[in-house]
Amino acid sequence: MASRQTAPSGTDPAERSRSRRLLGTLARRTRAGSSGLVLSLMATALVSTAFGVGALGRSDEVSDGAAWLWSAPAGEAVRVNGNNAEIDLVASLPEAGGGRVEVEQNDDYLILTDPETGKVTSVDLNELGFSGKLELGTGDFGVVLGRDSAVVIDREGGEIRAVDPATLQATGASLTLEGPLVGGAFDDSDTLWVGAPAQGHAVGIRVTDGEAAVTQTVAVASPGADIGVTVFDDGALAVDRGSEQVVAMRDGDDPVMVTMPAPMDDSAMPARTRGDMAAVTKTEDDGIVTLLHPYGAAETSYFPVGQPGGGIAVPFSGRVYVPFDEEGLVRSYAPDGRELDTVTLPGAEGALELDAREGSLFVNAPDTGAAAVVDETGRATLVDTDEAPPGPGEVRADTPEAAPEPGSPATEPQPGGNPEGGDAPEGQGPGQGTGPGEGTGEGEGSGEEPTGPPGAPTPVTAEAGDGEVELSWPEAYSPDAPVESYEITWEDGETTVDGSKLHTRITGLDNGTAYRFRVRATNEHGTGPAAQSPQVTPSQEAPGSPGAVTAEANGSESATVSWEGADNAVDYLVTTSAEGGASAPSDRTTGQTSLEVTGLQAGATYTFTVTSRGPGGVTGESATSASVTMPEEQVGDPSGVAHSVSGSTVTVTWTAADNAEGYRITPHGDGAVFLNEASAGAGATSHSFSRGDERCFSFTVTALGPGGTESAGVRSAPACARW
């Protein structure tokens, strides 16, 4: 990796460029033989292997001021230290297929979500291993990490469920609000804030004892209004796009309403805002509205960006940063609109991502592996996320100059800081230095397909018994060559099984002792990263058997599995078996007595086995459901959903949906508490409700299809009627 300061270093530019090209080549050759999490401490010897015992806690030594950035060309998340712009850890996710991946992070976990497939992977940064996997499917889902909490948000359905950030398994019952929801981020007090436009509310949610619960509800607009939400360090800001009003809120204080200097229509904000200043982007006007100290003096200003094509503004350290994707650069502005520095990312293509955290602003072009780190003075350092982390004792970057004092004059245009936005200076242009796509390592530019070790076989399931543990895992992702073997290691030993096996029994363990197991796959190109099991404790005591396991299809791709609780069970392992060669999702765990299993195939037949588990993961008896065949026929969406009010009657109308066997009509608005959800037959295209004094309504019509399938649901526009 190469880091380049915006201030000159005094070193001969030609010599610098030659050194970077040479070191870039060496780095790529090193990277070609590695995979997974790579822990490198500069100028020191490696204490342990990437996932080996003894690495616990050492990740924190290089994590201060760092952020994880996704590099699509490499199929990796790289951790960039904000203090020196060095890459210190790499998490390889080869199954991402070169696409964009969403990154959530805190000090303990890294959550990687593939929006194309809905697959979510968790990395335990303390244990340095891939620890959990979840399949959300397609839809408007989000996995959000707080300091100590994690939730999965179904924005369309309004469902929020707390999950274990290590295993990604649900820890309690879901919380359901009236959807759709907007936004979703934690503040520094671990309160999750979301917007609920149907009610005109912003909602604060905390996770306690594994369950999400509403702790604060603030009215920010009329029901049905178009609202947006950004989350502060200590609270949130809600924007009513139909007015000039915004509402700031935080726990323990009354909400504060502020009138902005411009209408809030066509406005957008980042999900998370750091510091005391908020920035609202007027997307149609190419303008920015800023708000300083919303709980105090509430200073506001508006300024036009003066350049077309800008993205959503991100405030950081008293400045406003605006990405310009087509130009591959970010312009910064003072709150009064005065243009300051420009950060140019050579070779950047596609959308730019801006993330303020840990005292730095991280700018990333995930499609091309170009990135930059901006410090609190506005000084930028370029980062090549496509290069390997430095090895022990390796120094590849110029010695950074001391940062200028705050308020000092800006330097002349340098790499990464080009105020005029013109051609990039020497050393920063495409194909120069160690930018993305440069280098002459083996396999580069030859047209050969890249080869490498397998991915991590996540998740690893561990079932403890009397002095033994039964381990199982899914087949590791290995498109380049068959998996030859799986290596299993734990605190007191190791074993290897053939690549055709996906389970093994570890015996001779001590009852009452906690164990954690790591599984790595090996093919002809090498050994991949480790997937780690939850911690389990063998014991002679086991819980009873769950009873009456039932399964019901929710549609063509998911089913709800339910059972009777077992004596002395603390959680349950749900295993899915498919008939006829269909694919089955990974094992799931839950502390409840029901679980929605997603990732099923239309037309396939499944059975579900529920195994009770006691304290420490001790395995009890199992029970299996009858087989369930998923429906193949999909139900369409109703269209033209509308409602009208005439006297004491409210009539909902819609256009029939393909393959519908019936409809569900759900009322919303301030009159919804007086109306009950209703159903209608297959041929119906309207339904009438009787109302009292209530005036404001909207309705969602959901088509019900064969085998329990449902449409997404279509909602009428909110409207209020007069008597």
Side-chain angles (χ1 to χ4, degrees), residues 117-139:
T117 63
K119 292 183 179 179
V120 186
T121 305
S122 176
V123 180
D124 185 332
L125 298 175
N126 292 309
E127 294 288 341
L128 294 178
F130 290 82
S131 57
K133 184 170 286 186
L134 179 65
E135 296 181 7
L136 294 175
T138 57

Side-chain angles (χ1 to χ4, degrees), residues 32 35 94 448-455 476-483 523-526:
S35 180
E448 298 179 2
E449 290 295 322
T451 57
Y477 178 85
S478 184
D480 300 327
V483 174
N523 64 15
E524 65 182 44
H525 303 295

Side-chain angles (χ1 to χ4, degrees), residues 504-529:
T504 190
R505 185 183 299 270
I506 308 297
T507 59
L509 304 177
D510 296 328
N511 286 333
T513 298
Y515 293 88
R516 190 187 300 273
F517 300 86
R518 293 172 175 82
V519 182
R520 296 180 178 88
T522 297
N523 64 15
E524 65 182 44
H525 303 295
T527 300

Side-chain angles (χ1 to χ4, degrees), residues 166-474:
T167 64
L168 299 177
Q169 299 301 307
T171 57
S174 62
L175 168 68
T176 302
L177 305 176
E178 184 178 349
L181 305 179
V182 297
F186 284 92
D187 65 15
D188 286 351
S189 69
D190 235 23
T191 296
L192 172 73
W193 293 93
V194 297
Q199 297 295 329
H201 291 160
V203 182
I205 298 165
R206 291 187 69 87
V207 177
T208 305
D209 296 329
E211 291 200 6
V214 174
T215 59
Q216 192 169 355
T217 301
V218 180
V220 297
S222 301
D226 183 10
I227 65 175
V229 174
T230 188
V231 177
F232 287 138
D233 295 339
D234 57 349
L237 181 75
V239 168
D240 180 358
R241 295 190 178 97
S243 72
E244 298 181 2
Q245 307 298 321
V246 300
V247 177
M249 65 212 81
R250 60 182 174 185
D251 191 27
D253 286 340
D254 293 332
V256 177
M257 180 174 287
V258 179
T259 300
M260 302 292 265
M264 292 289 96
D265 57 309
D266 300 315
S267 63
M269 299 177 292
R272 188 65 163 85
T273 294
R274 308 279 178 178
D276 295 329
M277 181 171 66
V280 182
T281 304
K282 298 270 293 169
T283 55
E284 294 296 323
D285 301 338
D286 292 321
I288 307 293
V289 181
T290 62
L291 171 61
L292 274 167
H293 311 298
Y295 305 114
E299 306 165 24
T300 63
S301 65
Y302 169 81
F303 64 88
V305 173
Q307 299 280 349
I312 298 175
V314 174
F316 171 68
S317 189
R319 298 184 178 202
V320 178
Y321 289 83
V322 181
F324 290 81
D325 297 343
E326 293 187 1
E327 299 177 72
L329 56 82
V330 177
R331 294 183 172 92
S332 66
Y333 303 85
D336 61 4
R338 179 169 48 93
E339 186 171 351
L340 301 173
D341 301 322
T342 298
V343 180
T344 302
L345 275 64
E349 296 179 1
L352 301 179
E353 298 176 350
L354 276 62
D355 185 15
R357 62 170 54 246
E358 303 285 345
S360 299
L361 177 70
F362 295 86
V363 183
N364 187 34
D367 292 343
T368 53
V373 180
V374 183
D375 68 16
E376 293 179 339
T377 70
R379 174 158 148 162
T381 305
L382 297 182
V383 180
D384 179 6
T385 60
D386 193 31
E387 287 206 32
E394 182 183 351
V395 179
R396 289 204 300 270
D398 301 326
T399 303
E401 285 197 356
E405 293 295 325
S408 62
T411 61
E412 292 299 316
Q414 298 292 332
N418 182 9
E420 299 301 323
D423 294 335
E426 180 181 354
Q428 197 186 350
Q432 298 186 28
T434 52
E438 185 277 336
T440 58
E442 295 178 3
E444 293 200 23
S446 64
E448 298 179 2
E449 290 295 322
T451 57
T458 310
V460 177
T461 301
E463 302 178 39
D466 184 3
E468 61 184 26
V469 170
E470 179 78 21
L471 297 176
S472 58
W473 56 88

Side-chain angles (χ1 to χ4, degrees), residues 432-682:
Q432 298 186 28
T434 52
E438 185 277 336
T440 58
E442 295 178 3
E444 293 200 23
S446 64
E448 298 179 2
E449 290 295 322
T451 57
T458 310
V460 177
T461 301
E463 302 178 39
D466 184 3
E468 61 184 26
V469 170
E470 179 78 21
L471 297 176
S472 58
W473 56 88
E475 184 178 357
Y477 178 85
S478 184
D480 300 327
V483 174
E484 297 176 350
S485 63
Y486 290 96
E487 175 192 285
I488 301 98
T489 59
W490 62 98
E491 285 79 349
D492 297 323
E494 63 181 35
T495 189
T496 300
V497 300
D498 187 82
S500 62
K501 293 186 177 181
L502 300 178
H503 60 88
T504 190
R505 185 183 299 270
I506 308 297
T507 59
L509 304 177
D510 296 328
N511 286 333
T513 298
Y515 293 88
R516 190 187 300 273
F517 300 86
R518 293 172 175 82
V519 182
R520 296 180 178 88
T522 297
N523 64 15
E524 65 182 44
H525 303 295
T527 300
Q532 64 182 25
S533 75
Q535 187 170 276
V536 291
T537 304
S539 173
Q540 293 177 317
E541 299 181 4
S545 172
V549 179
T550 61
E552 181 179 356
N554 297 331
S556 59
E557 298 178 350
S558 68
T560 297
V561 183
S562 303
W563 58 91
E564 296 178 2
D567 294 338
N568 303 319
V570 296
D571 64 7
Y572 301 88
L573 174 69
V574 180
T575 303
T576 305
S577 300
E579 298 180 7
S583 63
S586 301
D587 297 347
R588 311 283 172 88
T589 59
T590 179
Q592 309 300 308
T593 54
S594 67
L595 177 70
E596 182 179 5
V597 179
T598 58
L600 307 178
Q601 292 182 357
T605 300
Y606 297 92
T607 56
F608 304 90
T609 299
V610 179
T611 305
S612 59
R613 303 201 305 180
V618 179
T619 303
E621 298 181 27
S622 302
T624 301
S625 72
S627 60
V628 175
T629 299
M630 308 305 294
E632 293 190 55
E633 198 170 45
Q634 295 282 355
V635 62
D637 293 331
S639 60
V641 177
H643 72 273
S644 60
V645 179
S646 177
S648 61
T649 301
V650 184
T651 301
V652 185
T653 58
W654 62 89
T655 300
D658 293 339
N659 303 319
E661 296 182 348
Y663 298 90
R664 183 174 63 244
I665 304 97
T666 307
H668 310 290
D670 62 2
V673 294
F674 301 102
L675 304 179
N676 295 320
E677 189 172 77
S679 60

